[in-house]
Structure formats: C-alpha cells, structure tokens
C-alpha cells in the first residue's frame, strides 16, 4: 500500500483519535468465542497500543509520589508491639532490570533494523549511504523520543474521552502538507507544554534528583508546540531530503507504479470545484457515481425526503449541510432526478464547477 501518511503531528493526532476508538472497540471482540489465539493477540496489541499511555502516565505519577515520600518522610524502623526492626528493602537491582528491559524494547528493534540496512549494500545505497543512514537514524530517534511523551498525553486524553462517551467525526484524512499556524498549535498542544513546565518546576522544587530522570519526558512536553511547528515545515523536509537524510528507498529508486503515478499526475490537472456539484452535474462523473452505488448494492436505498430534494434543486448546494449531501449521494433515484433538475436551476443561482 502506498497510502500517504498524515503530513504533520496535528493530523497524526487526529488520525490516532479515530484509531484509538476503533482499537478500544476490539476489547469486546477479544472476549468472543471461536477466535484464534493469534487473532486475539493481534487485537490485544492494538488495544494496548493506546492503553499503555495512561498506564505510563500512572507509573510516572506513582514514581513521583514515591520519590517525594522518600525525600520528605522519616523512616520508621520500630513500631509498637513488634520487637524486630523494619528495615527498608532495596529495589535497586529490580529498577535497573526494569530500565534495561525498557531500553531494550525501545532501541533493540531500531538497532537491528539499522544493522540490517547497513549490511545490505544495495539498500544502504538507496537510503543515502552508511553515514547518512546513521545520521538519519539518530535524527529520527531524537524526534521520536521527544514526540513520545506528547503522544502519551494525547492518547491518555483520547482514552478518557472515549470512556466518557464523547462522539467523534470520521472526516476525510488530510494528506497535503501545510504549515501549522502558531495559534492552532497553541490551541491544540499548548496545554501539553503547560503540563511540562508545571511538572519541571514541581520536580525541581520538590525532588531535584527526580528531575534528572524525568528530563526525557518533560523535555518533550515543554517542546510540544515547537515540535508541532517543526513537523509541519515542508521546506525543512525538502532540505533534509536534498542532503540525503531521512530517506526511504522509494524516494531514491521509485518502483514502476509510483513512476507511472507521477506521470499521470503531471498529465492530468487536479479537479477543481465542489466535488458534490461535479458528481451531480458532470455526466461522466455522475454515471460513474451511479455505477459505484449499484456495485456496492446501494442502487435503491431509502428515498430522500421530497422537501430535501426540493431544497437541493431550488436553493442550490450551498444550502445543504454535510449530512444532507451524503443522503442525496447515497440515493441513486434522487441523484438521477437531481442531475436533470440541477442543469435547469443551478446555473441560474450561480453554481460553478
């Protein structure tokens, strides 16, 4: 599949909100009967991809609470009615093992993938060479490390909103890159930067030693807005590409299907105008739409209300909201009638393709 990914962090978070809801709905499927264990494992991994974020946040909160307790409370070695001292138990080895296991899970796959690419000479050349490949891996790791705490808070917010029953609109995914305005970045991600600044100040005042451990997390939080603005800069991406950094094999050696796509896109100009109007007025596009309805078994769905059809004819497409347009598009009979009527009435009200 050559589906384009979201062009920026903002669109990436929007897509993850939809995926989070879909994956959490699989929890009920996990409990279904006659499901192969591999399928259950696959669904469970998808569910945990989002549930691990609130668990990570809970772990950080509990660790901070324990650090504060150890710093500001006096140890009690003797209690009433107990003759033996209560000595503190060291968990240094367990903590070191947990840290090593976590770092292994995070970095071992990256190092293995980098090693495989370096050992494969043709692939190494397509990715820019050994030096550029290592530099790209370091850049990607740094950016991912800063972005991970940001997405952890976003995923936690998504999970809580889904559990509270908040609705979501499944709109079309934005695919074209564009710079994110500072105001929009502050509106959507500014609260994460405020959380990072507050956590940094609290840790520095209460338990300074804890702040050293939290630097990888709070750094991403504090830099959330700059990361969003940086990720939306197409000029920076083009500059990195010219220097051979962050490349994929399809960029340096496109397969035939992508080369043919570039040729077609260069020959055919992109369609302009309102897609709904074009589907109603243009004969070829209208016929293709009706054929697709028939192929999907939607040749005769419930009829559009007559009032809605008259509204579309006499007031024009500008008077229709998204739900009304969709109802008409899904009704083949209404589309046929509107195709004839629109050529009479829509040009009179200034509708342009």
């Amino acid at each position: 599949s050559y589906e384009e990914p979201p062009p920026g962090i903002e669109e990436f978070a929007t897509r993850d909100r939809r995926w989070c809801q879909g994956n959490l709905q699989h929890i009920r499927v996990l409990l279904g009967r006659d499901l192969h264990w591999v399928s259950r494992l696959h669904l469970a991994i998808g569910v945990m991809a989002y549930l691990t974020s609130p668990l990570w946040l809970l772990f950080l909160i509990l660790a901070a609470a324990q650090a504060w307790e150890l710093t500001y409370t006096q140890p009690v070695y003797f209690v009433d009615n107990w003759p033996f001292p209560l000595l503190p138990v060291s968990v240094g080895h367990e903590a070191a093992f947990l840290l090593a296991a976590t770092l292994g899970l995070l970095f071992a796959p990256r190092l293995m993938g980098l090693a495989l690419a370096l050992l494969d000479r043709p692939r190494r050349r397509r990715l820019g060479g050994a030096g550029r490949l290592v530099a790209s891996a370091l850049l990607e790791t740094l950016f991912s490390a800063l972005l991970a705490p940001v997405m952890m808070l976003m995923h936690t917010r998504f999970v809580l909103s889904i559990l509270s029953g908040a609705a979501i609109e499944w709109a079309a995914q934005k695919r074209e890159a564009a710079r994110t305005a500072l105001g929009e970045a502050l509106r959507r991600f500014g609260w994460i930067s405020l959380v990072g600044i507050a956590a940094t100040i609290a840790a520095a005042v209460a338990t300074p030693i804890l702040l050293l451990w939290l630097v990888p997390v709070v750094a991403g939080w504090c830099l959330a807005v700059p990361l969003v603005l940086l990720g939306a800069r197409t000029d920076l991406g083009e500059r990195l590409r010219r220097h051979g950094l962050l490349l994929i094999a399809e960029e340096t050696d496109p397969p035939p299907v992508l080369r043919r796509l570039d040729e077609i896109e260069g020959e055919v100009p992109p369609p302009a105008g309102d897609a709904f109007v074009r589907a109603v007025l243009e004969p070829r596009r209208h016929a293709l739409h009706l054929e697709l309805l028939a192929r999907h078994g939607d040749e005769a769905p419930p009829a559009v209300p007559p009032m809605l059809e008259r509204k579309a004819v006499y007031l024009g497409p500008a008077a229709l909201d998204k739900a009304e347009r969709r109802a008409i598009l899904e009704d083949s009979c209404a589309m046929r009638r509107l195709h004839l009527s629109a050529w009479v009435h829509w040009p009179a009200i200034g509708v342009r393709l």
Side-chain angles (χ1 to χ4, degrees), residues 272-323:
D274 190 320
F276 173 76
V277 175
R278 297 172 68 90
V280 173
L281 290 179
E282 290 185 4
R284 291 184 61 183
R285 187 179 294 265
H286 177 78
L288 176 60
H289 181 78
L290 294 180
E291 182 181 353
L292 291 175
L293 287 177
R295 288 189 179 185
H296 286 80
D298 298 330
E299 177 66 22
V304 169
M307 289 297 295
L308 175 57
E309 194 170 335
R310 286 196 289 270
K311 178 181 178 181
V313 172
Y314 296 107
L315 298 183
L320 303 175
D321 59 25
K322 184 177 180 180

Side-chain angles (χ1 to χ4, degrees), residues 17-143:
R17 173 62 178 84
R18 297 196 299 265
W19 285 12
C20 180
Q21 178 168 323
N23 285 19
L24 292 186
Q25 290 173 341
H26 294 160
I27 294 177
R28 301 187 66 178
V29 182
L30 285 172
L31 306 177
R33 299 173 56 186
D34 301 328
L35 190 63
H36 197 277
W37 70 269
V38 174
S39 299
R40 294 185 195 273
L41 177 62
H42 177 75
L43 295 175
I45 292 174
V47 171
M48 292 306 298
Y50 296 96
L51 290 185
T52 48
S53 290
L55 292 176
W56 181 16
L57 180 60
L58 180 62
F59 174 80
L60 292 177
I61 294 174
L62 294 177
Q66 185 185 39
W68 183 89
E69 180 184 9
L70 294 175
T71 303
Y72 291 97
T73 59
Q74 295 295 328
V76 178
Y77 298 106
F78 295 94
V79 297
D80 296 337
N81 303 320
W82 187 255
F84 304 105
L86 300 176
L87 300 178
V89 178
S90 174
V91 292
H93 294 292
E94 291 81 356
F97 175 78
L98 177 62
L99 178 62
T102 302
L103 294 178
L105 290 173
L106 290 175
F107 292 105
R110 295 172 181 269
L111 294 176
M112 293 172 65
L114 177 61
L116 288 175
L118 291 174
L119 294 174
D120 188 342
R121 180 177 297 180
R123 182 171 181 81
R124 184 177 68 238
R125 291 177 178 175
R126 291 198 300 269
L127 295 176
R132 292 186 178 90
L133 182 57
V134 173
S136 298
L138 293 176
L139 280 175
E140 191 275 335
T141 300
L142 175 62
F143 190 83

Side-chain angles (χ1 to χ4, degrees), residues 9 142-143 145-148 150 219-221 223-232:
I9 297 176
L142 175 62
F143 190 83
L146 293 173
L147 183 61
V150 176
W221 290 347
L223 297 175
V225 173
L227 283 175
V228 172
L229 298 176
L230 191 66

